[in-house]
């Protein structure tokens, strides 16, 4: 095989550092696994049954590209009720990631600038690069707040998009109401597309979730059922925004993903009727366990949402610290440089049983004292 066969776009990013930790972890006998970005609760029973019923009822053919009415109409009703925008349309995507891919393909031309807040979700910079976009990073250390003046001065005539994610992966930071309104209005004033990744909206612990779409009706919202209903393997996401953008995304979906998995759309429709507040409350308590457990030994911004904490390493680089954590304590965490241009922090996912979190805290206390 010739290396020339491989397209240039594959060279603009590395394979996810998270996978490397997973590979290392697969070799350990009894790891303390705080690395996985998925809920440790299962899909609710009624929703599992809805998936089984859909399969048994023969809902196994292609779904409509834009999503089956059972789910899409229900989502549209809920979105209309929340936002009351005349021109807000939804479609069902193949996971939240699928919706992100289509958003990039539909909106970013080669050379367009895409503003990404650092630390960022691993896909953002890679996806922007795949479509030829130029990533413009805005550093948000040490408190992971959004400085609107910095965003305003980063916007150039080539800026196409701002990628916003709250509650955030990997920091757990949940933007306050002023930040949300500020970024929404700034994008509108400067005629830049605001993409709001709201996959963790249910996991908001210290106040109600507010979408920037409330203030900027042209916001493109990306969302999905992976985290909120514990079904990341079922690949059901959705996006809503101005009709003209949604129609292009649906067109692109027709020639890429084709559709979101058909039976799981029926299950996702059932999931919309299930109250997940108990699960979110459990995660708030897990958040408190981590914050209290690490308070004396780590510099940590209290995460307001999602199921991640992003402490500063007490010594060495993020990579050195995580390597030691794995070698000496079988503790699986992710070095900050996977999500950032800095390598000074590490990500904990507390989507794990309490006993695992407790073991993780003990190991981290020992590691800090090294
Ligand atoms: N956005 C963020 C911020 C995420 O953390 C994730 C999952 N880790 C996704 C999108 C992708 O979710 P999905 O599994 O629905 O593709």
């Amino acid at each position: 095989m010739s290396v020339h066969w491989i397209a240039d776009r594959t060279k603009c990013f590395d394979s996810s550092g998270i996978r490397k930790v997973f590979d290392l972890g697969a070799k350990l006998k009894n790891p303390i696994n705080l690395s996985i970005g998925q809920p440790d609760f299962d899909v609710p029973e009624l929703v599992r049954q809805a998936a089984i019923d859909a399969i048994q009822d023969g809902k196994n053919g292609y779904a409509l590209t834009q999503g089956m009415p059972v789910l899409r109409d229900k989502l549209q009703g809920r979105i209309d009720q929340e936002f009351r925008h005349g021109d807000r349309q939804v479609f069902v995507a193949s996971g939240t990631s699928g919706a992100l891919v289509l958003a990039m393909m539909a909106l970013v031309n080669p050379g367009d600038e895409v503003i990404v807040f650092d630390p960022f979700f691993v896909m953002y910079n890679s996806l922007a690069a795949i479509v030829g976009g130029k990533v413009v990073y805005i550093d948000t250390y040490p408190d992971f707040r959004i400085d609107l003046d910095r965003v305003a001065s980063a916007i150039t005539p080539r800026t196409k998009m701002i990628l916003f994610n709250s509650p955030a992966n990997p920091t757990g930071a949940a933007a306050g109401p002023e930040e949300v309104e500020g970024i929404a209005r700034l994008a509108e004033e400067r005629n830049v597309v605001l993409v709001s990744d709201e996959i963790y909206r249910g996991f908001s612990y210290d106040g109600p979730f507010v979408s920037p779409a409330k203030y900027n009706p042209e916001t493109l919202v990306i969302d999905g059922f992976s985290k909120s209903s514990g079904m990341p393997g079922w690949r059901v996401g959705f996006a809503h925004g101005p009709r003209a953008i949604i129609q292009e995304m649906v067109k692109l979906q027709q020639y890429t993903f084709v559709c979101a998995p058909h039976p799981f759309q029926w299950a996702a429709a059932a999931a919309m009727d299930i109250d997940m507040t108990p699960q979110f409350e459990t995660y708030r308590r897990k958040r408190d366990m981590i914050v209290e457990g690490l308070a004396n030994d780590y510099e940590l911004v209290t995460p307001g949402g999602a199921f991640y904490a992003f402490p500063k390493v007490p010594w060495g680089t993020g990579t050195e610290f995580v390597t030691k954590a794995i070698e000496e304590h079988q503790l699986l965490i992710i070095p900050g440089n996977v999500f950032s241009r800095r390598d000074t922090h590490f990500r904990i996912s507390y989507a794990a049983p309490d006993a695992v979190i407790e073991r993780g805290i003990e190991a981290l206390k020992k590691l800090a004292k090294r």
Side-chain angles (χ1 to χ4, degrees):
M1 195 214 73
S2 162
V3 284
H4 300 297
W5 291 357
I6 308 294
D8 296 342
R9 74 176 63 83
T10 63
K11 299 186 187 87
C12 55
F13 57 95
D14 192 9
S15 88
S16 165
I18 296 186
R19 291 266 157 257
K20 289 178 196 153
V21 174
F22 287 174
D23 292 346
L24 267 174
K27 295 183 192 126
L28 300 176
K29 278 205 194 71
N30 185 21
I32 309 169
N33 196 345
L34 298 180
S35 70
I36 303 180
Q38 66 179 5
D40 73 321
F41 53 81
D42 201 357
V43 180
E45 164 77 40
L46 279 171
V47 181
R48 294 203 299 269
Q49 194 56 52
I52 292 165
D53 292 347
I55 291 169
Q56 296 293 11
D57 290 348
K59 309 268 188 322
N60 303 308
Y62 293 119
L64 294 173
T65 299
Q66 69 273 27
M68 297 309 288
V70 63
L71 176 60
R72 184 167 168 253
D73 292 353
K74 201 164 180 174
L75 284 167
Q76 186 74 54
R78 210 169 265 188
I79 289 158
D80 288 344
Q81 203 180 16
E82 182 176 349
F83 296 104
R84 303 187 188 286
H85 295 162
D87 184 42
R88 179 157 293 270
Q89 203 177 47
V90 69
F91 83 103
V92 181
S94 191
T96 312
S97 309
L100 277 168
V101 171
L102 297 173
M104 292 290 179
M105 288 173 70
L107 293 164
V108 178
N109 280 319
D112 283 355
E113 292 172 6
V114 176
I115 292 181
V116 168
F117 298 99
D118 182 350
F120 45 82
F121 171 48
V122 285
M123 271 189 186
Y124 294 164
N125 56 338
S126 307
L127 285 182
I130 287 172
V131 294
K134 177 171 174 260
V135 180
V136 174
Y137 293 98
I138 296 185
D139 186 290
T140 63
Y141 292 86
D143 58 2
F144 313 124
R145 296 280 138 226
I146 286 167
D147 179 341
L148 291 174
D149 292 334
R150 292 189 66 183
V151 185
S153 49
I155 296 175
T156 74
R158 296 256 29 189
T159 307
K160 174 59 72 64
M161 177 186 286
I162 300 173
L163 264 169
F164 176 69
N165 172 222
S166 170
N169 180 2
T171 59
E178 299 84 34
E179 282 169 282
V180 173
E181 181 170 354
I183 193 97
R185 300 216 186 277
L186 180 64
E188 187 171 37
E189 270 164 41
R190 303 291 293 271
N191 196 25
V192 171
V193 190
L194 181 61
V195 174
S196 177
D197 180 343
E198 304 185 353
I199 191 167
Y200 297 106
R201 63 177 281 164
F203 301 83
S204 295
Y205 307 130
D206 300 327
F209 172 82
V210 191
S211 169
K214 179 176 168 194
Y215 305 103
N216 175 345
E218 303 209 307
T219 304
L220 177 63
V221 173
I222 310 282
D223 203 336
F225 293 87
S226 298
K227 317 283 173 171
S228 54
S229 301
M231 51 167 87
W234 289 5
R235 312 309 305 137
V236 187
F238 56 95
H240 51 97
R243 180 180 304 265
I245 299 178
I246 296 301
Q247 281 176 0
E248 293 312 314
M249 290 171 73
V250 171
K251 191 169 86 187
L252 287 160
Q253 175 150 279
Q254 194 175 350
Y255 295 110
T256 51
F257 301 96
V258 179
C259 62
H262 188 168
F264 299 128
Q265 294 192 40
W266 291 80
M272 286 179 71
D273 295 329
I274 309 268
D275 179 15
M276 299 300 280
T277 314
Q279 284 85 339
F280 300 145
E281 285 298 322
T282 300
Y283 276 45
R284 182 208 309 272
R285 193 182 48 70
K286 289 180 193 288
R287 186 273 310 257
D288 294 342
M289 273 176 81
I290 288 281
V291 171
E292 281 158 30
L294 301 185
N296 293 332
D297 301 284
Y298 287 85
E299 210 178 302
L300 170 66
V301 181
T302 299
F307 35 71
Y308 308 108
F310 202 61
K312 191 164 184 231
V313 291
W315 49 261
T317 65
T319 305
E320 285 162 358
F321 181 80
V322 169
T323 306
K324 272 279 173 275
I326 296 173
E327 276 171 15
E328 291 182 1
H329 297 275
Q330 312 221 327
L331 171 63
L332 297 178
I333 45 181
I334 315 275
N337 67 344
V338 166
F339 315 95
S340 177
R341 289 173 308 159
R342 299 200 195 196
D343 192 17
T344 50
H345 289 61
F346 63 98
R347 188 190 79 173
I348 298 169
S349 163
Y350 54 83
D354 287 0
V356 176
I357 297 176
E358 276 161 17
R359 281 176 66 207
I361 291 170
E362 282 318 304
L364 284 168
K365 281 183 167 167
K366 286 185 195 142
L367 271 161
K369 297 206 167 65
R370 223 175 78 103

